[in-house]
Amino acid sequence: MRGRNDGGQSKRPIVLFWAMVVCLCFLFLYFSGSNGHTRSAAIEYGTKFSRSLGWGSDADGDDGLEESIFGTGDANDVKPRSFPVCDDQYSELIPCLDRNMALQTRLKLDLNLMEHYERHCPLPERRFNCLIPPPHGYKVPIKWPKSRDVVWKANIPHTHLAKEKKDQNWMTVAEMHRDEGSGLAPWPARLTTPPPRLADLYVTADTFEKDTEMWQQRVDNYWKLFRPKVKQDSIRNIMDMKANFGSFAAALKEKDVWVMNVVPHDGPRTLKIIYDRGLIGSTHDWCEAFSTYPRTYDLLHAWTVFSDLDKRGCSAEDLLLEMDRILRPTGFIIVRDKAPVIVFIKKYLNALHWEAVTVVDAEPSPESENEMILVIRKKLWLPEGGST
């Protein structure tokens, strides 16, 4: 009896081996059939899934499995869709600070630690793929510096603030809201002097000075492109979506503007250089929404932001919607990027209620090879329809 049992156990690995061989044969026949469509689909899904987890391929893209989200720049590469308008209740939506979303997804947040005030971004399938509407009766904001003291009531319909702050003489209720504001004394020398902490990034003073000079030339060129459309007081709040050393903001030292410098979270850690120049800024991942109210900025500057997004496999459509959310009606966008990116964005202008002001080749230089400049203006449109 013991001999028979030992024999059965010795045969078991052989049976398992042949069972595995048969399974592998079936799998090979399944994936190699019908012109390889199933196999290709599986590879494509696997590649996209791995990129979503941050695995992906090498930086040169030698595997050839994932094409650019912008195609080749051909007119037929991209077929944009129209965007619906979000419900009125979302006119002040900040997607990653949406407490309703946190409740709906049943996030386990510690209220004692104030975790409900932290960023909690929605998953892609729960994002609002729609245009954030302005409040009913919204008007083009009053220009600076008058807007320091007076704003349209319809643009910030929160009269309870006036009641809570009445003893501080901070705000009064009328057709306009009035508050006490204050002006950013610029420090010109600090803006252009190489900070000591450049050494932390192995950046020389010469590189810093050349960067400062290059962006001064670029900004001067931008304002020449703006001149037909922009009045002297049209632009106050500006965001540089990829600030690097902050030289774009430094080049605006003669303008009466305020600049938020954004440093990509996965790029060089240059935020300390921006601080050393007397500027403000933050780090951010443009695969997510920025933590600011809708209609905050008069001008967005996007230098190769979309190309960087392409390398990470994030949604360019989501970024366009986010830029529309944080841009004021009649505000401007400067996109400085490769030609396929410019072609891609131009196809979405009508869907976003944007218009192209101008598109030109970037000034020739080693730093801006094959780049183009697209200047966009956001139209004023209201939830009841129409745009101006």
Side-chain angles (χ1 to χ4, degrees), residues 139 151-154 173-177:
K139 298 181 181 181
V151 294
W152 294 115
K153 177 182 175 182
V173 177
E175 280 305 307
M176 295 180 177
H177 276 170

Side-chain angles (χ1 to χ4, degrees), residues 48-235:
K48 290 182 178 178
F49 178 71
S50 65
R51 286 190 64 175
S52 70
L53 295 178
W55 303 341
S57 58
D58 58 27
D60 297 327
D62 292 336
D63 57 10
L65 293 175
E66 192 71 22
E67 294 183 356
S68 168
I69 57 177
F70 304 114
T72 61
D74 185 87
N76 298 317
D77 276 341
V78 179
K79 295 180 180 179
R81 59 186 178 84
S82 61
F83 297 113
V85 177
C86 299
D87 190 270
D88 291 351
Q89 65 178 310
Y90 299 115
S91 67
E92 296 184 347
L93 176 71
I94 305 175
C96 294
L97 296 175
D98 182 9
R99 296 179 68 180
N100 290 328
M101 183 277 294
L103 291 173
Q104 292 170 7
T105 54
R106 297 182 180 179
L107 293 177
K108 295 181 179 179
L109 305 177
D110 191 329
L111 301 185
N112 294 323
L113 297 177
M114 299 296 180
E115 289 182 345
H116 53 298
Y117 289 120
E118 297 176 358
R119 281 174 59 87
H120 301 284
C121 295
L123 295 173
E125 61 269 18
R126 294 191 64 89
R127 290 177 182 169
F128 290 88
N129 293 313
C130 51
L131 299 173
I132 301 297
H136 286 281
Y138 183 88
K139 298 181 181 181
V140 174
I142 298 167
K143 303 305 179 185
W144 181 267
K146 190 177 180 181
S147 62
R148 178 174 53 188
D149 302 316
V150 179
V151 294
W152 294 115
K153 177 182 175 182
N155 290 10
I156 48 168
H158 298 291
T159 56
H160 65 279
L161 288 176
K163 298 177 181 177
E164 293 176 5
K165 301 290 184 178
K166 63 182 180 181
D167 58 328
Q168 301 177 24
N169 195 30
W170 183 70
M171 183 180 292
T172 58
V173 177
E175 280 305 307
M176 295 180 177
H177 276 170
R178 180 176 299 276
D179 63 60
E180 298 297 326
S182 59
L184 284 170
W187 305 314
R190 188 175 179 184
L191 284 171
T192 55
T193 302
R197 289 199 288 181
L198 285 172
D200 297 349
L201 302 172
Y202 304 100
V203 175
T204 65
D206 182 63
T207 298
F208 175 85
E209 290 169 350
K210 287 181 178 178
D211 184 76
T212 300
E213 181 182 354
M214 176 185 70
W215 278 107
Q216 185 64 65
Q217 294 173 353
R218 290 180 174 183
V219 168
D220 291 344
N221 185 42
Y222 289 158
W223 249 251
K224 291 177 184 177
L225 297 175
F226 273 142
R227 194 163 293 156
K229 287 277 187 179
V230 178
K231 296 180 181 179
Q232 186 175 357
D233 58 355
S234 295
I235 296 175

Side-chain angles (χ1 to χ4, degrees), residues 259-279:
V259 184
M260 168 60 76
N261 296 278
V262 180
V263 174
H265 79 295
D266 57 348
R269 298 183 177 182
T270 58
L271 191 58
K272 54 188 170 185
I273 306 302
I274 290 170
Y275 291 156
D276 288 348
R277 299 181 85 165
L279 302 169

